Structure formats: structure tokens, C-alpha cells
Amino acid sequence: MSHGNRMCARFSLAFAALLFSSVFSIAAPREAGPVILIQNATILTVTHGTLEHGSILIKDGKIAEVGPAIKAPKDAKVIDAAGQFVMPGIIDCHSHIAVEGGINEGSISVSSIANIAEVLDSDDINIYRDLAGGVTTANILHGSANAIGGQTIVIKLRWGQPASKLPFEGALPGIKFALGENPKRSNFSLPGQPKRYPSTRMGVEETIRGAFTEGRDYKNSWDTYNKRVAAGEKNLIPPRRDLRLEPLVEVLEGKRYVHSHCYREDEILMLLRVAKEFGFKVRTFQHVLEGYKVADELAAAGVGASTFSDWWAYKVEAYEAIPYNAAVMTRRGVVVSINSDDAEEATHLNQEAAKTIKYGGLTHDEALKLVTLNAAIQLGIDKRVGSIDVGKDADLVIYNHDPLSAYAVAQKTIVDGRVLFDRDKDIAERAALEKEKKDLLEKQKKAAEKKPDEKKPDEKKPETKKPDDKPKPPSDAARRDGGEEMVDSLAGGAQ
Amino acid sequence: MRSVLERIGFSSLIGLIASASLLVAAPSCFAQGGEPQYFAIRSARVVPVSGPPMEDATIVVARGVIVAVAKDATIPADAWVIEGKGLTVYPGLLDALTDVGLPPPPPPPAAEGTPRRIGEAPRGPEDRPNSTPWRSSADELSLSDKRIETWRSAGFTTVVSAPKPGFFPGQATVLDLAGERPGDLVVKSPVAIPVSIRPISGFGSGFPDSLMGVLGYEHQVWLDTEWLTKAEAAYEKNPKGIARPRFDRTSAALADALEDHALVLLSGNTALDIRRALELTDHWKVNAAIYGGQAGYEVAPEIGAKKVAVLVDLKWPEKEKDSDPEDFGSLRTLRFRDRAPSTPAAFAKAGVKFAFYSGAITNPKDILKAVKKSIDAGLAPDAALRALTLSPAEIYGVSDRLGSIEKGKIANLVITDGDLFNEKTKMKYVFVDGRRFEIREIERPKDPPKGDITGKWRLSYTSPEGPEESTADLTMSSDGTITGTLTSKRGTATILSGYLSTDRFNFIINIPIGPSFADVTFNGTFDGTSLKGSISVQGFSIDFTGTKPTNSSSLGKLAGAYRGSYYEGDAR
């Protein structure tokens, strides 16, 4: 079988940029946004304190100016935020929203062939709901069913834009790892399914080590091939491209972040050892509920920790958690964030961060950083977002109270200088949407009702009119008891 | 063979069939219905689609091909002439994606509840899960698929049939819906490779069990296809010292299909899906079309800019039957249901090439009704007609042979008594490959029925081959209309038309006699417990009796008595 050069030509360009294109090149330049001036606000910059009665000028989607009193340029849309608080848009370092068709490729223990970037669901209503909770950026992760899970991506919550416009331009893609009970599947089994390897923590370690050994060999085979081509050798068969191993090579080359789900100290240290052995870095440990036990090791390894505020004991490996985790790790020099792992939890991450003031005594700014700047650092996007600084993306939330207060409700959420959530507007639009829904419902109900009517004469299958069935006048007694059918069937049985 | 038979007149053929005996398969070498291969449709309104409609025009068909379309075309002396006054001739309709003509897919190998053996579940892309791109629908055709006839009777002369299911289920074929052998149906194969991105089984059932897993798998398959092509070329050039590339049936079949210019069909029904499909066509660098397309009203300009054709699913979204009556879906769902039929109009406006396909529609008569919905939502009727004829032919690369009424093209025609999209219009004839098929209306009972004929009847009669029995499974509705099937040793036929009017019954089946189908009419009287009457076919008739085997003792005895009388009295 030889398929000629035409086939080769057709394919030659096809995959040159397949892997990266979905992550990097699809984000088209956006048109300039409106000029907005936010006035009279309490500005929580996160990096340089709080500014009372301050203004923020937004131009071209960026923060153009921050100061005590900025004169509104011509054509600027002015938002009077008197008595209100502005903070940087919240960054959720562990989210599973906006994904179509399942967040787990759970069939295999190394599912790195799957890429979340390809199944982003820009229509997921959770994008809007999370915006309403002040979230502007989210790290969309594969699930934790596998020792090495799928490829992950950071998105901005650009509600209303197509999926290709969601990825955070320039943010390094990631890959999900998972340690402990989920990848070894001790919490569930599927009836009729064989148990998938691994089923112990030892096996999880072996799976990761095995995959990276393969990845290293794969990288070597390409390096060797490229050298031989460079040396002028002809008629070489290139190594077969392997989409499962390519992301692992990117991890080895530092082009892809590792975000690893974990709970226990032993597994945390295990992954640090494996990473050292293969020469890659773990970017963040996720959940990391026992992180407080190994905070020094985390800090020394320069690994970020993204944890829950006070959610624990939902399974054995989560028993040793304490609400002081974030504060303890912060005090020991770890870059810590608090994440949601859940669409609803994401709508009040500001309050989750506030709990660290009670549990561990973090300062106001330290608490805010847990859901803004620190998450940005962990995701490598802190030059763009995470604080209110001139030149950064205009990703902002306006709250009616201090965002760390239990009374705080987001009023407006701005992404790239565009107001994508406006509480007043949302409330104002509800009646019209309700009406539209009601009208459509009526229209469709009517259409659905019309159909069976048309067919009625044909559909009356004379099931009860078998030739041996004589119509029986139902007795009054049977009617009273509601036992008409039973009387009939008894009569039939007696025949 | 044909040339000899063409010279035999119609009447002599009937004689031939009759002498070959009633209800017995004759040598299968005749033209449809024993008719000649030359036809002329005279003085009809002709809508060629490739050009403006012509009034009072004549079409001449010879041996399956249109040989003339003109106002004053010469009618050959030996042609059958159909008076076209008051009739309109359209090109045969084309269902752009279906599985008509294919046997139903086999049930999934692992039944529910049975434990899967270790190693049975696919564990990675190398196991090529749910991929059979080497399967060609041309190889799997089944003439016993009733839909060949029902689709044809609804005006569809041509379908594009694709195997199901799977991520790479196989190769689609253009089929004309008439023929004596499966091969007769094939117009072109392969024309397309459908690709599905939907996971087939759920979480934990083996690779891949998620949408992103399927996509990763499919990327890998296309990469492997590219690699195998290159590797084999290099190996052929100089095999010495090179590890032999492993043969892979999936990649080999895909490479061959692409070599044959097969179109890759990508699923995409929501805006999200459609946009993803557009990206996939770029990633895979394949010549692709999208199927589904119902939310196209949201993304029509984007599709137009990419110049990707869309096959529009005519099974418009609606609330599922038997679903929760209180759950009418979100506003988004309601909007989608409301606006989906406006998609074709949006495509026409944005310059998107599109064609219609029947999708999950099971009754072919609903196909044109669904098209009508898109006309009501703003699509020009001539654009709708094009999407059922020439456009799909162009999309699949067969517009050089069908899709319009033009000299030299295959004689696939639909003849109606009015505008195709008018609900009152009746189809009179369908021509497939120049074979004539007459479309009949179901007869309605005149008077209300006396008694109920519903049930399984054993019919007994004596054919020229000897005594025979068959089973009629009849269902009568309250107005006397009879539906059901008739099963004999030759197979099962569906009742096309039937009724009980007072005590008189009449029902018609259409069965293969020789190379074509012929009507077999059963009529007689129903006395409440038995049937008595005659079976007529092409001018010949025999008597039959019908009894109803039943568990009821009295009726059983009665049936036995009748059976006895049959053997004594009717054994002529």
C-alpha cells in the first residue's frame, strides 16, 4: 500500500501546530473596549494597600490610571462607586466549570491525551454565575481520576464570547496529576468493570514514574531523529507522534505546569521526589490539606499550594485537615491560594479567603491575595492580573461592602475592561427573560398539543376490543371500589 | 439480456409472469414492473433546479438516463408516454445522510450487567476503539430494508448512507433507491467518512469515555494515518535496516478514503459544536462538511467565511415524548427549539452551502413537512428544493450525474400534481435510474366496519405450487382502516392499504415478483370469526380462507372445524 506524496503533502502541515494551536493561537486580538472611570471607591489594590475615595481609569481593557481623583475623559463611562469596594478580579486556581462532555477521561491511568482546552463550553451558565461571585479568571482542570490526568488551561470568564476566546493568552497550559484515593479508586468501583491499575499509593507513584520514563525515551527518540536529519541522513522514518507523551515532554521541558491533586503529606513528598528524579517542577499542589505538615518542604521546593478554606473530613484522606492550613503555609513562606473545585463555592471565594483571618490571623491583604495575586503567581499570570496596578488587565470586581465581609455582594464584575456582570442590569432584565421563556413555553406547548389531536382517530388502537371481549356494563359496586379492572380480570381468569 | 427483453412488449411479460406462477419468484431479469426502458413525460411543468422552470416541456428517458429535456423534444416511437398536463417534474430528492439500505447495527457486544473481562475494554488509542473506517455501506446493503421503498415513495430517489455507530463508523455511499441486487443501488462509493466525537459509553467503560478523550483519540488516529503513509513510503523505498511499520487497518482505510477524495463529515449541532467542528477541519486539514447544523442561525457567517458545507438535520429539536411534562427546559433550550428551523434561511443569507438530511425522522413523509418548517421560517422554496437535490449532489461530488434534470444525467425524477412543498400535493410517480414507480394513496373505508378484524389470522390457499399458509397480523382502527403485516414463507410484507367496510375487507401488499414488485390484493367478507375471499395479483386470483388460532377453547374448535373443511373442500 502506498498512498503517494499527495497524502503526505496534505498532512505535512496538518499537525505542525496541532497541540499548541488550541492553546495559544486561537485567541484573536480583541477590539478596544470602552473607556471607564470608576470613582469614589475604596480601592483594594492588594499590592500597595487601600486607597479611599479613589478612582480607576480603564482604557483598552487595561488599568490606565489609579489615583485619588481622576478627571473623566470625554466619552468615558463613569461608574460612581461611592461607599463601594473595588478589588482585583478573583482568580480560582481549581475549577471545573465550562467543560463539555465530562471532566474525567477516567478509562486510563495516564489520560494526558485528553485536553480540556478542546472541550471548553462557553455556554456554561456557571461562567456567568461565577462572574456574579467576582471571579474573572479560572484554572480549568481535568478531574482527579488518573495518576496523570488531562491537559488543563487557564481561562478568563469572557461570558458571551465563543470558546476559542476564553483561553488566557500567554498563560502556560497545565496538566493534572492526582495522588491518593481518587487515582487508586478506593472510593468507588464500577459494577462489571475490572479494577483499573493502580490500586495503591505505591502504584500511583509507579504509574507516574513509568509514564515519565516513557516520556523521556520518547523525547530522546525525537532528539536522535532530529540530529540524524540535521546530519543529512535521508529516507529516515520519523518517530511516531504520541499525543499521550507529548504533554509529558513539555513538562520535562518546563513548557507545561503540573497541578497535582493531593491530600496526604506522604504523597506530597513522594511527588516532589519523583519530580526531582525526572527533573521537572510541580507548579501547584491542589487541595493539599496536609500541606501544613510539610510547609517547609513545599516552600523549599518553590511549589504553590492551592487549598480549601475549611472543607474536610469528607473521606479518610481528608481527615487530617485543619482550617489553619492556608495561614500556616503562608507563614512558612509558601505561595498559597484558596480555590473552589466547585461552581457554587466559586461564587463566594472572597468569603472563603476571609476565614483565614479568623483561622490563622492573616492580614486583610494577605487574605485577599489568597484569591487574587497568589493564584496569579501560581498560574504564571501575575504580570497581567491579580492586583490593581497600572498596566494590568482591567479585571475588577465592585462590592457593596468590604469583600471580606459576610455582607459583601458583587455589584459589577469587569473583565478586560468590559462590564460582564452588572447586578442592577441583571435584575432589570429578569422580567423580560421570564416573559420570553413563558411565551416560548406556551408556543411550544401548543405545537406539541396540536400533534396528537391530528392523529387521534388512527391512534385509538382497539386493544380492548378483542373479538372475545364482550362489553360489560361496570357494576356500581366495582365503580365505587375503583375495582373495575380487577373484576374484569377475575372474570377472564375464570374462563 | 436487457436488449432482448426490451423488445418484449408489456402484455407478453405479464403472461410470462403468470406462467411462471403466482407468488413465485420468476427469473429476475425484467425491467421494473415489466415496463419498457423508454419513457416520455409530455407537456409537464419541469423544475430542473439547474435552470429556470419550464412550462409545457417534455422529458425523454432512455435506459435510465435523461436523453432530452425540451419544449419540443421528439418522443421515440417505442416510448411509454405519461401525459404531464397538470403535473410537475422535479429531480429525484436526495437524503444527504441516513442509513437507509443498511441493516440495523448489531447490538453492543457486552450486554448490561454482564461483567466485562479484563482486557476487553479498550485501554488506549492503540486499541482503536469503536473504529471501523474500512466498513463500506456499499458492501453491507440489504434490499430487504423496507425504507428503500418508503423513502422512494416519499420522493427520495437517492440517499447517502453511512454505517453506524462508532467514532469512525465507516464509509458513506451514494445510493439510488431501486435495483435488483445490492450493487445496482451504488452510485458512488466512498463519498464520505463520518466522524463522531460523542463518547459511546459512559465513565469507566474503557477508553475513551469523555468528549476530550474522543478528540484526543481522533487526533492520534489522523496523526497515525499521516505517519503510516510516510513510514510505508520510506520502507518501500529501502526496507533494509528499518523496522517494518506495523500495519494498521484503521489508518490504512482512512488514508485510502482520503485518497479517493472522500469528504470527512464532522458532527456539529450546537453553536459550540459547530465552531469546534470548524476548528477540527483546520487541525486535520481535511476536506470536511458538518452534519447536524441546527444552531447554524447563531454562527452562519462564521461557517460561510470558512466555506464549509453543512448537512442540516431535519429532525428539528422538540421536547422529547414521555419526558417529564413539567420540565420544559431552559430558556436557551426553548430558544433553540424555536429558532432551529430558521437556520437554513440564515445559511442561504450567509452563502453557506447546505443540504438536508432526515436524521432521526422515521417516517419519510415527515421529511418534507420538516423542510416546510424551514420555508415558513424564511427559506425560499427554490433554495429548499436545491438543498434536497443539486446542493447535496455537489457536496458529495456527484452533481455530474444527478441532482438536477439535465440531458445526460441519471433519470431520477419525482412527478407531482402540484408544488412539492404544498401539503395537498400528491406524488404520482417516482423514477429511479429510469425505472418507474407509481405512488398510491391509501384507500379509505366507505362505511363503518362491522366487527373488529384485529388479530393474527392464518390464511390458507392453494398456489400453483400446492397448499400454502401465511399469517396476516392485522390491526384495525375504529374507522375500519387496516394496518399490519403478512408473513409467508417468502418473507414479511407490510400492508400498504387496507380497510373493513361493513363486512367487506380489502387489503393490499406489494411483494417482489420477478425483478420488481407487484400488488397482491386480498378481499372478501368477514363474518366476525373468519375470513373468506380471494387473492388477486396481476389479473389472476385464487380463493383463500382465514381463521384465527386462539387459546380460547370455543374459538379454537371453530378454527379447527374451518381448517378441516378447507382440506376437504378446497383441495382442488
Side-chain angles (χ1 to χ4, degrees), chain A residues 1 3 11 14-15 21 100-101 105 108 118 123 192-193 238 240-241 243 436 441 443-444 451 462, chain B residues 116 123 204 209-211 219-220 223-224 226-227 232 256 276 283 318 328 332 334-335 338 476:
Chain A
M1 188 186 64
H3 299 294
F11 278 120
F15 295 97
S21 63
E100 190 193 359
E105 175 53 51
I108 41 183
E118 292 195 319
D123 290 338
Q193 300 297 334
R240 184 183 147 277
R241 280 190 59 190
L243 295 182
E436 186 192 351
L441 211 65
K443 187 175 166 190
Q444 287 168 25
K451 269 191 197 160
Chain B
R116 211 188 258 276
R123 284 165 301 173
D209 63 7
S210 66
L211 174 62
H219 292 325
Q220 186 67 60
L223 278 177
D224 290 350
E226 177 202 12
W227 180 83
E232 278 178 345
D256 283 344
R276 184 186 296 118
H283 281 338
E318 55 183 12
F328 269 85
R332 182 181 292 146
L334 294 171
R335 278 178 181 159
D338 191 53
M476 193 188 81

Side-chain angles (χ1 to χ4, degrees), chain A residues 15 38 55 88 90-91 128 138 150 190 210 239 281 295 344 399 414 426 471:
Chain A
F15 295 97
I38 303 170
S55 302
I90 290 171
I91 298 166
Y128 185 71
L190 293 159
K281 283 230 184 265
E344 188 280 328
Y399 281 97
I414 300 168
D426 183 283

Side-chain angles (χ1 to χ4, degrees), chain A residues 109-110 146-148 197-198 202-212:
Chain A
S109 289
V110 179
N146 339 68
I148 295 180
Y197 180 85
M202 289 185 290
V204 172
E205 177 177 357
E206 193 276 338
T207 300
I208 296 171
R209 188 170 267 125
F212 273 97

Side-chain angles (χ1 to χ4, degrees), chain B residues 124-140:
Chain B
E126 59 282 357
D127 288 341
R128 299 290 187 247
N130 294 301
S131 300
T132 51
W134 56 85
R135 279 179 68 195
S136 167
S137 44
D139 297 337
E140 299 184 8

Side-chain angles (χ1 to χ4, degrees), chain A residues 219-231:
Chain A
K219 183 177 168 356
N220 287 340
S221 69
W222 273 101
D223 290 347
T224 308
Y225 169 77
N226 288 333
K227 259 183 221 153
R228 289 177 68 184
V229 169

Side-chain angles (χ1 to χ4, degrees), chain B residues 65-360:
Chain B
V65 174
I66 300 167
V67 294
V69 192
K71 253 192 147 57
D72 49 0
T74 316
I75 298 174
D78 52 353
W80 255 47
V81 178
I82 294 174
E83 268 314 326
K85 274 254 175 313
L87 301 180
T88 307
V89 189
Y90 295 98
L93 305 182
L94 200 160
D95 184 346
L97 190 60
T98 177
D99 59 356
V100 166
L102 298 176
E112 215 174 308
T114 54
R116 211 188 258 276
R117 274 177 292 120
I118 288 183
E120 200 180 324
R123 284 165 301 173
E126 59 282 357
D127 288 341
R128 299 290 187 247
N130 294 301
S131 300
T132 51
W134 56 85
R135 279 179 68 195
S136 167
S137 44
D139 297 337
E140 299 184 8
L141 295 177
S142 160
L143 290 182
S144 62
D145 185 349
K146 292 280 174 291
R147 297 176 300 173
I148 292 175
E149 193 199 331
T150 57
W151 248 249
R152 189 176 63 211
S153 300
F156 288 87
T157 61
T158 311
V159 296
V160 177
S161 274
K164 281 179 188 172
F167 304 128
F168 295 97
Q171 302 170 13
T173 302
V174 178
L175 303 173
D176 269 357
L177 292 182
E180 293 148 29
R181 294 174 196 82
D184 294 348
L185 275 61
V186 178
V187 177
K188 193 175 180 188
S189 176
V191 290
I193 317 168
V195 180
S196 167
I197 59 169
R198 295 290 150 205
I200 286 161
S201 42
F203 181 66
S205 57
F207 178 84
D209 63 7
S210 66
L211 174 62
M212 58 182 164
V214 176
L215 288 169
Y217 166 62
E218 290 175 357
H219 292 325
Q220 186 67 60
V221 167
W222 287 115
L223 278 177
D224 290 350
T225 303
E226 177 202 12
W227 180 83
L228 193 69
T229 307
K230 279 184 187 164
E232 278 178 345
Y235 187 76
E236 280 300 317
K237 226 167 148 188
N238 179 19
K240 288 217 174 67
I242 303 178
R244 177 174 57 85
R246 197 184 57 178
F247 175 72
D248 169 30
R249 197 181 182 187
T250 294
S251 294
L254 288 175
D256 283 344
L258 289 187
E259 190 85 329
D260 289 339
H261 304 285
L263 195 62
V264 174
L265 299 182
L266 290 163
S267 56
N269 207 38
T270 65
L272 195 66
D273 282 349
I274 292 169
R275 288 188 172 119
R276 184 186 296 118
L278 290 175
E279 283 175 17
L280 289 176
T281 60
D282 285 349
H283 281 338
W284 296 344
K285 283 282 188 292
V286 288
N287 186 17
I290 293 170
Y291 67 96
Q294 291 183 325
Y297 60 91
E298 286 184 51
V299 289
E302 290 168 52
I303 304 171
K306 286 266 185 190
K307 300 213 181 305
V308 171
V310 184
L311 312 177
V312 178
D313 186 349
L314 281 170
K315 179 77 179 169
W316 299 120
E318 55 183 12
K319 187 172 151 58
E320 270 178 51
K321 277 177 193 144
D322 308 324
S323 59
D324 181 352
E326 297 305 311
D327 178 17
F328 269 85
S330 64
L331 178 57
R332 182 181 292 146
T333 305
L334 294 171
R335 278 178 181 159
F336 177 48
R337 287 182 195 146
D338 191 53
R339 294 176 198 171
S342 73
T343 286
F347 282 168
K349 201 178 154 206
V352 177
K353 178 161 281 185
F354 67 98
F356 287 122
Y357 73 97
S358 55

Side-chain angles (χ1 to χ4, degrees), chain B residues 292-548:
Chain B
Q294 291 183 325
Y297 60 91
E298 286 184 51
V299 289
E302 290 168 52
I303 304 171
K306 286 266 185 190
K307 300 213 181 305
V308 171
V310 184
L311 312 177
V312 178
D313 186 349
L314 281 170
K315 179 77 179 169
W316 299 120
E318 55 183 12
K319 187 172 151 58
E320 270 178 51
K321 277 177 193 144
D322 308 324
S323 59
D324 181 352
E326 297 305 311
D327 178 17
F328 269 85
S330 64
L331 178 57
R332 182 181 292 146
T333 305
L334 294 171
R335 278 178 181 159
F336 177 48
R337 287 182 195 146
D338 191 53
R339 294 176 198 171
S342 73
T343 286
F347 282 168
K349 201 178 154 206
V352 177
K353 178 161 281 185
F354 67 98
F356 287 122
Y357 73 97
S358 55
I361 293 177
T362 49
N363 183 351
K365 288 185 175 152
D366 292 339
I367 301 175
L368 287 186
K369 284 181 193 162
V371 174
K372 182 70 174 28
K373 276 192 180 172
S374 67
I375 293 173
D376 293 344
L379 181 68
D382 56 346
L385 178 62
R386 201 180 201 286
L388 287 162
T389 53
L390 195 52
S391 290
E394 286 166 353
I395 290 168
Y396 286 112
V398 289
S399 59
D400 53 353
R401 61 206 78 176
L402 47 79
S404 61
I405 301 178
E406 284 176 83
K407 188 180 165 183
K409 283 197 174 179
I410 295 171
N412 287 346
L413 305 168
V414 180
I415 305 177
T416 67
D417 65 357
D419 183 83
L420 190 66
F421 300 114
N422 186 326
E423 273 178 45
K424 285 179 184 150
T425 295
K426 290 185 175 67
M427 303 225 172
K428 307 298 276 185
Y429 304 97
V430 172
F431 279 81
V432 183
D433 277 320
R435 292 152 183 260
R436 189 194 73 124
F437 295 90
E438 203 173 328
I439 316 293
R440 261 149 317 140
E441 283 298 299
I442 288 175
E443 281 190 72
R444 291 279 156 205
K446 290 179 192 74
D447 297 308
K450 226 173 103 185
D452 187 352
I453 203 165
T454 297
K456 268 202 167 110
W457 295 89
R458 183 180 294 146
L459 309 184
S460 308
Y461 47 89
T462 303
S463 81
E465 285 185 329
E468 269 186 40
E469 282 194 346
S470 52
T471 306
D473 190 353
L474 308 179
T475 304
M476 193 188 81
S477 56
S478 51
D479 70 343
T481 305
I482 295 170
T483 56
T485 56
L486 194 103
T487 306
S488 72
K489 63 183 182 187
R490 295 177 188 82
T492 298
T494 304
I495 291 170
L496 296 177
S497 160
Y499 62 85
L500 179 68
S501 180
T502 64
D503 64 343
R504 299 290 306 169
F505 67 83
N506 178 305
F507 57 88
I508 299 169
I509 58 167
N510 194 269
I511 60 164
I513 292 185
S516 65
F517 291 78
D519 276 1
V520 181
T521 306
F522 296 73
N523 58 35
T525 52
F526 168 54
D527 63 7
T529 51
S530 67
L531 309 175
K532 211 173 174 77
S534 62
I535 308 173
S536 316
V537 57
Q538 290 177 335
F540 289 81
S541 71
I542 53 169
D543 292 342
F544 79 98
T545 57
T547 60
K548 203 171 192 179

